[in-house]
Amino acid sequence: MADVNQGTVNDVLKGTGVVGGVRYASAVWITPRPELPQAGEVVAEENREAEQQRFDIAAETVSKRLLERSAHAEGPAAEVLKATAGMVNDRGWRKAVAKGVKGGHPAEYSVVAATTKFISMFEAAGGVIAERTTDLRDIRDRVIAELRGEEEPGLPDVEGQVILFADDLSPADTAALDTDLFVGLVTELGGPTSHTAIIARQLNVPCIVATGAGIKDVKSGEKVLIDGALGTIDRNADEAEAMKLVADSLEKAARIAEWKGPAQTKDGHRVQLLANVQDGSTAVQAANTEAEGVGLFRTELCFLSATQEPSVDEQAEVYSKVLAAFPESKVVVRSLDAGSDKPVPFASMADEMNPALGVRGLRIARGNVDLLTRQLDAIAKAADDLGRGEEAPTWVMAPMVATAYEAKWFADMCRERGLVAGAMIEVPAASLMADKIMPHLDFVSIGTNDLTQYTMAADRMSPELAYLTDPWQPAVLRLIKHTCDEGQRFDTPVGVCGEAAADPLLATVLTGLGVNSLSAASTALAAVGAQLAEVDFETCKKAAEAALDAEGATEARAAVREVIEATQK
Ligand code: PEP
Ligand code: MG
């Protein structure tokens, strides 16, 4: 069926591809989670202390094991394992378990009851906090298996290379993955922004998420061919053909590993490749890649657990770590995009019926302008303290701008502080009104994640709607084209900083539409640069035309592939 992301056609299952690469290997299912116990018999009063000790030892063992794995991992993977170990030691959770044991419940049941309570609390909080429920279920299951002396749920022991199948992967499982053995990942649930996807990107393992229940038919030991770019799982692949596709994919990966910037098409049309970062450490990581600067610094991610607004000096310190990682290059700082899926305690609205359509991004500043001016002061201070000048410009942009009035209001405040002023184009209204908005600004950057969500009226967090929240949707591409055309008319640089910029094939379309810069996770940049180096600008323009003219996202991808393949014959 055209344009529907999940499903099965001729034994080829389909999900959302989040890390590209073709692999052919035996499927293996993750070791199942333990059966959850019922309340069971009451533990006699005199045995309750021993029961508590049994729990303490099990929890200790699980936490120690996770920390050991963390010590052997790197970067975000190490952080994820440490954070999961931290949850086993969470005082609130442990207290809730102890209460159950004290009340006469067996340790196993007390763990279930305490976790259920915390899961409801996390779900009620919504957003990124709700996403942590996977971690909670994970520690529950590990501790229960330990208490029963059962095999630890999660990654099975395997001999040769396999493709791991799971309903969902816990962050701890993904982080501990040995990528020499687990050469691909397929999950029924999850989404492009889930933990599984983030770690898979970091590990660079081909990964497909949100396949739907169809993958349940795949048996451990069955050979499958997966394509992480297309999101397909082929159960009927011809072995020889599959091996050839894998060899091609590995050869391409080697080419990507060797790619050196700056990015340009085969005939020398330059596109700036920039990194999306969220703090000093991701900025330093980006500085070690071919990134020419930072195209999106998501400042709100620095303050997700801050209950009080940090002072100007404290904020300046945080921002200067990112600026210092690129002392001689452009850095685009985004003002707080709090609210909706990124609740910042000191800046978010309490209860809204529709948080994605609510007071988020720049809208928060309407009722609390000081919050914004203090942030701009802090950005200006960080830039001044580092002596950043014309060669290392500090650009600032506002999220969720919808009107020309908002653009002007924000730009005036930036310029009063000597900052270069821009706005994100992520609300369809902003694209449609680009001719009124751009004259107030020095640059714009298209946020394709939200632009897609709002254009398609589809929640970006919903796995069921992944086929709609796809930046290949021609409706989204037409808004991008309109923005680029107006950018050329007003001589306003247009960048793209949503996930679309990380898709090498889509990068050719965006380049053809006239985008000047592409900003994505730094690990994704080499694949984009290598793809651009293989096409000329004219092909990019043809690819853009083909995508704009397609009936849907699937057809757009196919049409662009055809345009590019035709030039390679
Ligand atoms: C976007 O919406 O595309 C974007 C880059 O911002 P965020 O993903 O942080 O909402
Ligand atoms: Mg956005």
Side-chain angles (χ1 to χ4, degrees):
M1 204 189 322
D3 220 17
V4 170
N5 218 42
Q6 290 102 344
T8 312
V9 181
N10 300 336
D11 268 353
V12 178
L13 298 154
K14 182 122 177 54
T16 303
V18 290
V19 179
V22 180
R23 297 292 182 272
Y24 182 66
S26 297
V28 66
W29 277 88
I30 198 147
T31 307
R33 307 255 142 210
E35 289 266 323
L36 297 185
Q38 302 297 319
E41 282 177 18
V42 175
V43 176
E45 185 102 39
E46 65 273 22
N47 295 335
R48 289 182 196 168
E49 206 178 305
E51 190 67 0
Q52 177 65 37
Q53 266 179 15
R54 206 164 69 80
F55 164 74
D56 288 340
I57 292 170
E60 233 24 77
T61 309
V62 169
S63 150
K64 233 170 97 190
R65 216 181 272 142
L66 288 166
L67 284 174
E68 269 164 25
R69 278 185 209 143
S70 157
H72 290 108
E74 278 174 20
E79 290 303 314
V80 164
L81 287 163
K82 214 155 80 191
T84 311
M87 284 182 110
V88 186
N89 297 318
D90 180 80
R91 294 227 320 257
W93 182 72
R94 283 210 170 195
K95 228 160 121 184
V97 177
K99 199 168 153 202
V101 173
K102 213 165 169 192
H105 290 299
E108 287 87 338
Y109 180 75
S110 304
V111 167
V112 172
T115 311
T116 306
K117 185 178 138 198
F118 273 74
I119 287 175
S120 330
M121 273 162 41
F122 279 30
E123 278 172 351
V128 281
I129 304 208
E131 283 191 11
R132 302 301 305 269
T133 52
T134 312
D135 309 48
L136 275 170
R137 289 191 183 91
D138 184 49
I139 58 162
R140 174 196 66 195
D141 296 345
R142 283 175 202 272
V143 172
I144 289 177
E146 185 60 32
L147 281 164
R148 288 181 181 155
E150 289 174 1
E151 191 185 342
E152 191 181 14
L155 298 182
D157 284 331
V158 294
E159 309 253 290
Q161 294 197 327
V162 291
I163 293 169
L164 184 67
F165 279 65
D167 46 359
D168 202 359
L169 285 168
S170 75
D173 288 332
T174 342
L177 211 67
D178 177 347
T179 53
D180 288 336
L181 291 173
F182 295 93
V183 295
L185 304 177
V186 180
T187 66
E188 179 190 341
L189 307 172
T193 54
S194 61
H195 262 128
T196 303
I198 291 166
I199 303 275
R201 270 190 210 111
Q202 189 215 344
L203 296 172
N204 203 13
V205 191
C207 175
I208 301 166
V209 298
T211 59
I215 57 160
K216 293 249 161 66
D217 294 340
V218 177
K219 305 270 175 302
S220 280
E222 179 180 336
K223 282 269 181 113
V224 287
L225 173 74
I226 63 163
D227 185 325
L230 300 177
T232 51
I233 304 126
D234 189 346
R235 302 179 64 191
N236 241 339
D238 172 79
E239 174 134 9
E241 250 171 59
M243 299 304 278
K244 159 108 184 48
L245 291 171
V246 173
D248 289 350
S249 163
L250 291 172
E251 191 208 312
K252 190 167 168 199
R255 260 199 328 271
I256 291 170
E258 275 172 17
W259 179 79
K260 290 272 170 279
Q264 55 186 347
T265 58
K266 211 152 105 182
D267 54 337
H269 176 83
R270 283 272 288 116
V271 181
Q272 212 174 25
L273 285 196
L274 304 164
N276 289 355
V277 306
Q278 61 188 68
D279 53 21
S281 88
T282 45
V284 169
Q285 212 178 354
N288 289 322
T289 69
E290 294 296 296
E292 292 180 59
V294 170
L296 169 62
F297 170 18
R298 289 183 164 101
T299 57
E300 66 282 355
L301 299 186
C302 302
F303 306 120
L304 284 181
S305 51
T307 47
Q308 280 196 351
E309 182 193 340
S311 68
V312 169
D313 285 347
E314 284 164 345
Q315 288 190 51
E317 204 181 313
V318 173
Y319 305 149
S320 63
K321 287 194 180 128
V322 170
L323 296 176
F326 285 92
E328 284 159 14
S329 333
K330 163 171 138 186
V331 173
V332 184
V333 185
R334 179 172 71 183
S335 62
L336 277 187
D337 185 21
S340 190
D341 56 325
K342 291 173 288 197
V344 172
F346 66 81
S348 300
M349 293 294 287
D351 281 320
E352 291 182 290
M353 291 288 279
N354 263 318
L357 301 178
V359 184
R360 59 167 293 203
L362 184 65
R363 298 164 183 191
I364 290 172
R366 273 171 51 87
N368 189 355
V369 69
D370 294 344
L371 188 68
L372 175 60
T373 53
R374 281 190 291 266
Q375 184 176 27
L376 295 177
D377 286 343
I379 297 167
K381 180 176 187 319
D384 279 352
D385 289 353
L386 291 166
R388 291 173 71 86
E390 295 250 306
E391 304 77 50
T394 307
W395 293 17
V396 185
M397 64 181 178
M400 296 295 291
V401 168
T403 66
Y405 174 82
E406 287 174 345
K408 179 175 182 329
W409 180 65
F410 180 77
D412 287 347
M413 280 186 275
C414 290
R415 295 201 180 108
E416 277 163 25
R417 293 164 176 80
L419 297 164
V420 180
M424 291 196 66
I425 304 289
E426 53 182 351
V427 176
S431 168
L432 295 168
M433 295 296 287
D435 60 326
K436 302 292 174 208
I437 287 179
M438 283 178 180
H440 299 297
L441 299 169
D442 302 312
F443 73 100
V444 297
S445 183
I446 304 174
T448 48
N449 306 336
D450 277 317
L451 186 63
T452 307
Q453 149 161 281
Y454 296 127
T455 304
M456 303 307 293
D459 183 347
R460 62 191 266 189
M461 306 298 283
S462 161
E464 286 84 17
L465 301 180
Y467 74 101
L468 289 174
T469 50
D470 182 339
W472 279 92
Q473 288 288 353
V476 179
L477 298 176
R478 289 176 186 204
L479 286 172
I480 297 175
K481 172 178 166 37
H482 180 70
T483 311
C484 290
D485 290 350
E486 295 296 42
Q488 260 157 29
R489 192 150 75 96
F490 290 94
D491 207 14
T492 305
V494 176
V496 167
C497 63
E499 287 302 302
D503 176 340
L505 201 61
L506 191 47
T508 63
V509 172
L510 298 172
T511 301
L513 290 173
V515 163
N516 309 108
S517 65
L518 295 166
S519 190
S522 58
T523 46
L525 297 179
V528 172
Q531 173 69 69
L532 289 177
E534 283 181 20
V535 290
D536 55 29
F537 190 38
E538 208 42 48
T539 306
C540 292
K541 286 188 189 163
K542 280 197 193 130
E545 266 169 42
L548 287 169
D549 193 40
E551 207 166 275
T554 307
E555 290 85 349
R557 277 190 181 87
V560 168
R561 233 177 235 118
E562 222 169 88
V563 168
I564 292 179
E565 275 165 17
T567 65
Q568 288 166 344
K569 276 181 189 144

